[in-house]
Amino acid sequence: MFTLPAAIVVGWTLSWWGARRVRWILLSAAAAVSVLCVVIGWHAMGPPADPRTVSCSSTWACMDPRSLYLFAAGLLGFGCCFVLLILAIVGEAILIRTRRRISD
C-alpha cells in the first residue's frame, strides 16, 4: 500500500537533479497513476455483499482486501502528489528568486 507513495517521493526527489521538465512530467505521471489506481480499486470492489446472505460479520469483511489496498494506495499517492506539487512550486519560486539575485 505504501509502495506507490514511496516511489513517487523517491522519483520526485531524484528529479531535482534533472531538468525542470522531468520534474513536472514525473509528478503529472504519478498523479495520473494514482488516479488510475483509485479508479481500478473502486471498480474492482464492486457492490458490497449483504452480510446476512454470505455469512460475513460486516460489509467491509465481505469485500476483497486487494482492491481496498489498491484504492488506498491510489489515495495516498494522490495526496502525496498534492503535497509534492506545493513543495515543487515553492522550490521553483526559491530557485527563480536566487537565480535573479545572482544575475543582478
Side-chain angles (χ1 to χ4, degrees), residues 21 45 47 64 75 82:
R21 179 179 291 169
M45 279 193 274
D64 184 17
L75 285 179
F82 182 73

Side-chain angles (χ1 to χ4, degrees), residues 4 8 26-40 70 73-74 77-78 81:
L4 180 63
I8 291 170
L26 183 77
L27 196 56
S28 299
V33 168
S34 297
V35 169
L36 189 63
C37 285
V38 168
V39 169
I40 290 171
L70 187 63
F78 190 74
C81 286

Side-chain angles (χ1 to χ4, degrees), residues 2 4 10 13 15 17 33-34 40 42 45 50-51 54 57-58 60 65 67-69 77 80-81 85 90 95 98:
F2 297 109
L4 180 63
V10 168
T13 304
S15 72
W17 282 278
V33 168
S34 297
I40 290 171
W42 182 263
M45 279 193 274
D50 187 15
V54 213
S57 60
S58 68
W60 288 104
S67 59
L68 291 175
Y69 292 140
C80 187
C81 286
L85 174 69
V90 170
L95 284 175
T98 56

